[in-house]
Amino acid sequence: MKKWTVRDVMTADVVAVPEDASYRTIVDVLADGRISAVPVVDPTGQVVGVVSEADLLYKVEFAGTAGGQRRIFPSRRRSPREKGAGRTARELMSTPVVTAGVDTSLPAAARLMTEKGVKRLPVVAPDGSLVGIVSRADVLKVHLRRDEELRRDVVDEVLRRTLWLEPFEVRVVVDGGVVTLDGHLDRRTLAELTVQLVGSVLGVVAVRDHLSYDLDDAELARSRWNRSHPFSATGPSA
């Protein structure tokens, strides 16, 4: 089956700013590009941080307040007030930056965004250089795939190439990303594996399982295990 990665959905024409970019320059970059954040790169092209609209708004929030001498601490997370006093990308950016590799799977990228609480991930090459950016909206693009495309993946990649099933053995209908499977297979484990693999196709919203089977080999396996382990309280999982 096709493994969808960040490379498939990322924006490759990514805008970045150097560490010494001014506050006004960053505002102009966001406005001109109609974007909500921009990566910050060092002279070697390595991503060192991200400046978002939220980082820039601190200057508006703390405008006119008595803050005393401006202090910047590059070795730790900066407070909102410190960011409000910042003048360059180096002083405004959020660090440490969370990145993804070009071959990171979409499920892994989605988990990373959720775990780290970020809306986007700069995408880096193996040498650490910036090659793109992927957002939550980009990851969700897989659910914009047409039903015909999803059905083709289910039939060709799952049924034929992975499970070696003929199309007449399992009928596949896709409507709004929901896949309905109808047919008769020889074993319960094969039917369950079919449902599992179809559900793993990116873009599939849900699977309706109408498959039947001849042999309940899962129950048979449990029965054999119990006969071999008569004093055990547990058996093999279904």
Side-chain angles (χ1 to χ4, degrees):
M1 291 187 295
K2 175 181 173 59
K3 178 186 177 183
W4 286 75
T5 67
V6 164
R7 189 197 307 270
D8 296 312
V9 299
M10 72 180 189
T11 299
D13 186 17
V14 60
V15 179
V17 297
E19 295 175 278
D20 60 355
S22 68
Y23 181 96
R24 180 56 188 271
T25 296
I26 299 170
V27 172
D28 289 342
V29 167
L30 296 186
D32 292 344
R34 296 182 179 181
I35 53 179
S36 59
V38 62
V40 182
V41 296
D42 66 13
T44 67
Q46 305 287 309
V47 183
V48 294
V50 173
V51 178
S52 68
E53 291 174 331
D55 296 319
L56 298 176
L57 282 174
Y58 289 127
K59 186 172 289 294
V60 178
E61 179 181 351
F62 293 103
T65 61
Q69 183 178 1
R70 186 166 62 95
R71 302 167 62 197
I72 300 300
F73 301 92
S75 61
R76 64 169 175 82
R77 290 183 180 273
R78 302 177 183 89
S79 70
R81 187 175 294 275
E82 289 165 354
K83 286 190 177 184
R87 297 177 183 174
T88 66
R90 182 182 297 107
E91 299 165 348
L92 295 161
M93 67 186 182
S94 294
T95 58
V97 62
V98 183
T99 63
V102 291
D103 293 323
T104 300
S105 70
L106 291 192
R111 285 194 298 271
L112 190 58
M113 289 182 190
T114 300
E115 291 170 358
K116 300 299 182 180
V118 296
K119 298 179 180 179
R120 64 197 66 80
L121 299 169
V123 183
V124 296
D127 64 359
S129 59
L130 180 67
V131 294
I133 195 163
V134 62
S135 67
R136 292 176 178 175
D138 293 327
V139 172
L140 290 174
K141 284 179 182 177
V142 294
H143 289 294
L144 297 177
R145 302 174 69 201
R146 300 188 308 274
D147 288 342
E148 296 81 359
E149 183 180 356
L150 288 175
R151 185 182 184 281
R152 185 168 58 249
D153 275 3
V154 169
V155 172
D156 293 342
E157 301 296 332
V158 177
L159 301 185
R160 287 178 173 170
R161 296 177 184 171
T162 303
L163 299 175
W164 291 11
L165 294 173
E166 295 297 333
F168 65 83
E169 294 182 86
V170 177
R171 293 179 293 280
V172 179
V173 176
V174 184
D175 185 9
V178 177
V179 180
T180 300
L181 302 176
D182 190 3
H184 190 82
L185 299 175
D186 59 349
R187 293 172 288 116
R188 172 182 172 178
T189 52
L190 178 58
E192 291 178 343
L193 179 60
T194 300
V195 173
Q196 179 183 348
L197 291 179
V198 170
S200 70
V201 173
L202 285 180
V204 171
V205 176
V207 180
R208 292 175 178 165
D209 177 14
H210 295 166
L211 295 173
S212 58
Y213 47 84
D214 292 319
L215 176 64
D216 188 346
D217 54 338
E219 182 62 35
L220 182 61
R222 284 195 298 271
S223 177
R224 288 175 176 172
W225 194 93
N226 289 333
R227 288 199 300 271
S228 301
H229 304 75
F231 301 107
S232 175
T234 60
S237 59

